[in-house]
Amino acid sequence: MTAQPFVAQWGILGCGWISSEFAKDISFPTTSRGTTDVSHAIAAVGSRSLPKAEEFIKKWCPDGAIAQKEGHVKFAPKAYGSYKEVVDDPNVNIVYVGTMNIAHYEDAKLALEGNKHCLVEKPASLNAAEWNHLVSIARAKKLFLMEGVWTRFNPMMLAVQKAVHEDDVIGEIRCMYSDHSMDVYKKRPDTDRLLSAELAGGCLLDIGPYPMVWTMMILYRHPKNQRTPAEKLGSTMMKYHTGVDLATGFTMTFPKLNAIAYCTTNLLSCVQQKQNTRIVGSKGEILVHGYTSRPTGYTIRRFIDPESEGAKCHPDEEVKHDIQGFGLYWEADEVARCLRDGKTECERMPLEETTMTMKYFDQIRKEGGYEFLPGLEKVKSE
Amino acid sequence: MTAQPFVAQWGILGCGWISSEFAKDISFPTTSRGTTDVSHAIAAVGSRSLPKAEEFIKKWCPDGAIAQKEGHVKFAPKAYGSYKEVVDDPNVNIVYVGTMNIAHYEDAKLALEGNKHCLVEKPASLNAAEWNHLVSIARAKKLFLMEGVWTRFNPMMLAVQKAVHEDDVIGEIRCMYSDHSMDVYKKRPDTDRLLSAELAGGCLLDIGPYPMVWTMMILYRHPKNQRTPAEKLGSTMMKYHTGVDLATGFTMTFPKLNAIAYCTTNLLSCVQQKQNTRIVGSKGEILVHGYTSRPTGYTIRRFIDPESEGAKCHPDEEVKHDIQGFGLYWEADEVARCLRDGKTECERMPLEETTMTMKYFDQIRKEGGYEFLPGLEKVKSE
């Protein structure tokens, strides 16, 4: 008989698409992914409209998440017509902020000021200044805070990192290419969250975090890089007529590795299933399959003779991984463990790395001439 | 019986690798590629060392090129121990400059000042100012001048252009990714032409012209772009310890198309045979096979439902093309036709487009902090 798992008791803010994926994901049996030490309950769901929150629960989690179904906790999910009520619900010990990007700062702030731990969806905020303010609140109150860059917790990300950093599968790291794009242009209206200036749309903040996370995890976190920030970050942005970025490219250099990351993101092209991320080393290369955000496998391509140029390769070796649901549960499990262990920060997604990437995004937007509409940023970066 | 072909009578400057590929290529039977109107002879070959020129002829063209073998002209190739003698040889009507990149300007100048037409290997020169000076000489003397961006004349390039610009195979153009890289790092000595500062090495000028030519041919020359220069050109460069660029990325935007080109070039990674260039449109995408410089085919991937997002694709359609030799003859044929027709400029590789790309390279080097060693540039750009 196993010990009772620690249960993260979630309060979900926002009833949109990503919150529904989160609710569904934390309702899967934890053991189906080998998790036995932690579990998840949905204590409360909030929307600005009470019927929407009620509808959300009815549709996605009528019996709560897995901890409720398995009887580890007794409460049922409660619906609220305000975010404040979710934060105040005594059954909530961690708030998941799944609201629109423009509201992340205010909603996370509400959670922290209500003395609740907080997981906020990527992008953490609109700029580094907003994020730094959230960090200062969390630190003052000794609360857990994390940006939900879920890809960091995906087992394929862990496997690729291990292959590159520990197992020397591709030898010395040389360079990487990472793309996350969506074919939204001319398919969605200008009022869509990705295209609207009012909603701080554009590709950089919404899907740009994915090429960024691969760069951070593979190059920035490479043992030989010793957590040295990118020396250069150059970028180019093409704007949409609404003022948001339709396409952006950014390149980061890591001189300690002599390695470079070419990152691309746009709203013009659909995902390439076989190699949205390509990582090249001296002995071979790894092509990551599936969405950059949600890898479902990878190809290892070993050079027959790594000493010679224009390397010929051994037959591709493929590693595949079926994902149940959307795959946000690995991140949720990790957050639950942090709470159980009394940690206010997760080593795999520390506050400082979010600060760093938000500063990079600030710089890329500045270079690209993308200024948010007045009033969207609640705290302005220098 | 067909008419006698017009014969380009080449004087080759430089006896290195690319000159040998050129000599071999213009020695293939022209009819094997469907060419009957023009042909090629090698009138003279020059090196700074006479034995090297003699050795070159003995090894690559003892009986001359195809026009000599087929009896269209009577002279045999002559070896010279200086470039000036090649230019002065009365049998030479066009000079091929296949010398080191740092010598292109001076050697092309020598040819033009000797009243000979001139094809100069890419990169045309070290900077836009050198090139502009060559253009002014050629125009004053009404001589033919062209940068040898041979990829422009490759039939696969023509086929992809036709598919995108005329046949609407991929619908509206959205974006493209183009890479040309070589895995030279830690495999060649620092004195190698690609790594040496003395030889103005680095990836940008030597292999960067290939992602650039795809961008120019597909986006700049897109009918809807109306030859409008890129609005933005952003770049990032990582330097090698010798001072040359080890890796560079540059991105160009074409607002008339709402399209972007992500270009990458480095000395860190080997070529991907299946998709060094990916061109994405609203109805499908094209992946170009083989070296970016020397495409040997392409894949057409049509979306099943171009109106929906995250497009699923019909099975890949592959077009393949076996290249005899290296493939420089298509360019040589075109140059011969220009000479035959009394043209001083080739519409497919006009002087102005070389000026434009040399200015882009100047800008990228400036942004990347790559300054040539003093004395290498014979004319300095502003």
Side-chain angles (χ1 to χ4, degrees):
Chain A
M1 191 184 146
T2 54
Q4 188 79 346
F6 172 86
V7 177
Q9 300 174 189
W10 296 92
I12 295 176
L13 304 192
C15 290
W17 165 74
I18 192 66
S19 290
S20 73
E21 296 295 350
F22 188 79
K24 284 188 280 181
D25 274 355
I26 61 174
S27 298
F28 283 114
T30 54
T31 49
S32 65
R33 59 184 179 272
T35 295
T36 54
D37 56 335
V38 294
S39 190
H40 305 279
I42 297 175
V45 173
S47 167
R48 297 197 190 279
S49 130
L50 179 59
K52 204 175 165 195
E54 288 169 338
E55 177 67 26
F56 183 97
I57 291 173
K58 196 173 150 195
K59 195 164 175 190
W60 305 119
C61 49
D63 305 316
I66 190 66
Q68 286 147 312
K69 292 184 201 172
E70 292 180 348
H72 297 304
V73 296
K74 299 295 172 202
F75 55 81
K78 273 190 205 158
Y80 293 106
S82 79
Y83 297 157
K84 181 77 170 64
E85 288 169 285
V86 173
V87 169
D88 288 343
D89 187 306
N91 285 332
V92 169
N93 59 19
I94 172 119
V95 169
Y96 172 78
V97 177
T99 54
M100 300 290 263
N101 294 351
I102 52 168
H104 285 181
Y105 165 75
E106 285 191 318
D107 297 335
K109 185 162 165 274
L110 182 75
L112 295 168
E113 287 179 341
N115 296 306
K116 293 293 161 75
H117 301 298
C118 183
L119 170 65
V120 54
E121 259 305 323
K122 46 70 37 195
S125 52
L126 289 186
N127 63 36
E130 286 189 352
W131 175 251
N132 285 340
H133 193 221
L134 295 176
V135 170
S136 68
I137 301 172
R139 288 201 165 132
K141 289 177 168 275
K142 297 188 167 52
L143 291 165
F144 177 85
L145 175 64
M146 189 177 105
E147 181 188 16
V149 186
W150 58 310
T151 309
R152 288 192 176 225
F153 304 92
N154 181 298
M156 292 295 96
M157 165 64 87
L158 274 69
V160 171
Q161 263 192 313
K162 184 170 180 293
V164 175
H165 294 175
E166 295 172 34
D167 301 341
D168 197 36
V169 168
I170 59 167
E172 283 181 24
I173 188 83
R174 293 281 186 261
C175 66
M176 52 178 281
Y177 306 74
S178 188
D179 179 68
H180 193 112
S181 295
M182 290 173 70
D183 50 337
V184 159
Y185 175 66
K186 292 202 178 176
K187 291 180 181 171
R188 296 194 190 180
D190 289 356
T191 51
D192 182 85
R193 67 182 185 88
L194 284 170
L195 297 172
S196 151
E198 284 73 20
L199 298 175
C203 50
L204 178 68
L205 278 195
D206 205 83
I207 51 179
Y210 297 121
M212 179 66 86
V213 65
W214 280 96
T215 302
M216 294 294 286
M217 295 311 262
I218 300 300
L219 297 185
Y220 171 73
R221 283 193 168 224
H222 193 289
K224 287 190 183 157
N225 187 55
Q226 300 170 300
R227 310 274 170 115
T228 311
E231 184 183 64
K232 289 190 185 182
L233 168 67
S235 66
T236 309
M237 195 175 259
M238 183 170 71
K239 307 280 284 295
Y240 189 50
H241 74 88
T242 59
V244 310
D245 63 317
L246 192 59
T248 295
F250 54 97
T251 301
M252 297 165 72
T253 68
F254 294 87
K256 276 201 178 162
L257 305 169
N258 270 319
I260 194 165
Y262 302 110
C263 300
T264 53
T265 178
N266 62 62
L267 301 177
L268 299 167
S269 53
C270 59
V271 161
Q272 281 203 104
Q273 290 298 330
K274 275 295 190 181
Q275 62 168 71
N276 288 298
T277 296
R278 176 186 176 216
I279 304 165
V280 185
S282 60
K283 291 190 196 169
E285 57 187 50
I286 291 179
L287 308 178
V288 183
H289 308 174
Y291 288 81
T292 309
S293 55
R294 189 170 171 266
T296 52
Y298 55 94
T299 296
I300 299 171
R301 194 171 278 172
R302 294 179 210 259
F303 303 146
I304 292 170
D305 176 12
E307 305 301 316
S308 74
E309 286 182 34
K312 292 205 188 317
C313 302
H314 289 289
D316 284 355
E317 298 161 47
E318 306 240 333
V319 179
K320 288 192 182 182
H321 192 245
D322 286 329
I323 292 185
Q324 188 183 38
F326 203 64
L328 291 156
Y329 34 72
W330 292 299
E331 170 187 72
D333 288 354
E334 198 58 34
V335 170
R337 288 185 192 107
C338 289
L339 298 194
R340 178 195 65 192
D341 300 342
K343 291 182 184 170
T344 54
E345 194 168 351
C346 172
E347 198 285 321
R348 207 162 168 81
M349 179 69 272
L351 300 168
E352 184 202 355
E353 286 187 32
T354 293
T355 302
M356 183 180 292
T357 55
M358 289 311 304
K359 280 185 180 167
Y360 289 150
F361 290 137
D362 284 358
Q363 182 183 331
I364 294 167
R365 278 193 302 109
K366 193 175 176 185
E367 277 183 18
Y370 179 4
E371 285 183 36
F372 293 125
L373 291 184
L376 288 183
E377 293 160 289
K378 304 309 174 191
V379 191
K380 289 274 268 183
S381 287
E382 294 307 304
Chain B
M1 191 183 146
T2 54
Q4 187 80 346
F6 172 87
V7 178
Q9 299 174 191
W10 295 93
I12 295 176
L13 304 192
C15 290
W17 165 75
I18 192 67
S19 290
S20 72
E21 296 295 349
F22 187 79
K24 284 188 279 180
D25 274 356
I26 61 173
S27 298
F28 283 114
T30 53
T31 49
S32 67
R33 57 184 180 272
T35 294
T36 54
D37 56 337
V38 294
S39 190
H40 306 279
I42 296 175
V45 173
S47 167
R48 298 197 188 280
S49 131
L50 179 60
K52 206 175 165 194
E54 289 169 338
E55 177 67 24
F56 183 97
I57 290 174
K58 195 173 150 196
K59 195 164 176 190
W60 306 119
C61 48
D63 305 317
I66 190 65
Q68 286 146 313
K69 292 184 201 170
E70 293 181 349
H72 297 304
V73 295
K74 299 295 172 201
F75 55 81
K78 276 191 203 157
Y80 293 106
S82 79
Y83 296 158
K84 180 78 171 65
E85 290 170 283
V86 172
V87 169
D88 289 342
D89 187 304
N91 285 332
V92 169
N93 59 17
I94 173 122
V95 168
Y96 171 79
V97 177
T99 54
M100 301 289 262
N101 294 351
I102 52 168
H104 285 182
Y105 165 74
E106 285 189 319
D107 297 336
K109 186 163 165 274
L110 183 75
L112 295 169
E113 287 179 341
N115 296 307
K116 294 291 162 75
H117 302 298
C118 182
L119 170 66
V120 55
E121 258 305 323
K122 44 76 24 204
S125 53
L126 290 185
N127 63 35
E130 286 189 350
W131 175 252
N132 285 339
H133 193 222
L134 295 176
V135 170
S136 67
I137 302 172
R139 288 202 165 135
K141 290 178 169 273
K142 296 189 169 49
L143 291 166
F144 177 85
L145 175 64
M146 190 179 103
E147 180 187 15
V149 186
W150 58 311
T151 309
R152 287 191 177 227
F153 304 93
N154 182 298
M156 292 296 96
M157 165 64 87
L158 274 67
V160 171
Q161 262 192 312
K162 184 168 180 295
V164 175
H165 294 174
E166 296 172 33
D167 300 343
D168 197 38
V169 168
I170 59 168
E172 283 181 24
I173 189 82
R174 293 281 185 262
C175 66
M176 50 177 284
Y177 305 74
S178 188
D179 179 68
H180 193 112
S181 295
M182 290 174 69
D183 51 336
V184 159
Y185 175 67
K186 292 200 177 175
K187 291 180 180 170
R188 295 193 190 181
D190 288 356
T191 51
D192 182 86
R193 69 183 183 87
L194 285 170
L195 296 172
S196 152
E198 284 73 18
L199 298 175
C203 49
L204 178 67
L205 278 197
D206 205 83
I207 50 178
Y210 298 120
M212 179 67 85
V213 65
W214 280 95
T215 302
M216 293 293 286
M217 295 310 261
I218 301 299
L219 297 185
Y220 171 72
R221 285 193 168 225
H222 193 289
K224 287 190 184 156
N225 187 54
Q226 299 170 300
R227 309 275 170 114
T228 311
E231 185 183 65
K232 290 191 185 179
L233 167 67
S235 66
T236 308
M237 194 175 258
M238 183 170 72
K239 307 280 285 293
Y240 189 49
H241 73 86
T242 59
V244 310
D245 63 317
L246 191 59
T248 295
F250 55 97
T251 301
M252 297 163 73
T253 68
F254 294 87
K256 276 201 178 162
L257 305 169
N258 270 320
I260 194 165
Y262 302 111
C263 299
T264 54
T265 179
N266 63 62
L267 301 176
L268 300 167
S269 54
C270 59
V271 160
Q272 280 202 105
Q273 290 299 330
K274 275 295 190 182
Q275 62 168 75
N276 289 297
T277 297
R278 177 186 176 217
I279 304 165
V280 185
S282 59
K283 291 191 198 170
E285 57 186 50
I286 290 179
L287 308 177
V288 184
H289 307 174
Y291 288 82
T292 309
S293 55
R294 189 172 172 267
T296 53
Y298 54 94
T299 297
I300 299 170
R301 195 171 278 170
R302 293 178 210 259
F303 303 146
I304 292 170
D305 176 11
E307 306 300 316
S308 73
E309 286 182 35
K312 294 206 186 320
C313 302
H314 289 288
D316 284 356
E317 297 160 50
E318 306 239 334
V319 179
K320 287 193 182 179
H321 192 246
D322 286 330
I323 292 186
Q324 188 183 35
F326 203 63
L328 291 155
Y329 35 72
W330 292 298
E331 171 187 71
D333 289 353
E334 197 58 33
V335 170
R337 288 186 192 108
C338 289
L339 298 193
R340 179 195 63 191
D341 299 343
K343 291 183 181 168
T344 54
E345 194 168 350
C346 172
E347 198 286 321
R348 208 165 167 79
M349 178 70 273
L351 300 167
E352 182 202 356
E353 286 187 31
T354 292
T355 302
M356 184 180 291
T357 56
M358 289 312 303
K359 280 186 180 167
Y360 289 150
F361 290 138
D362 284 357
Q363 181 184 333
I364 294 167
R365 280 193 301 108
K366 192 173 177 188
E367 278 183 18
Y370 178 4
E371 285 182 37
F372 293 124
L373 291 184
L376 288 184
E377 292 159 289
K378 305 307 173 191
V379 192
K380 290 273 270 185
S381 287
E382 294 305 306

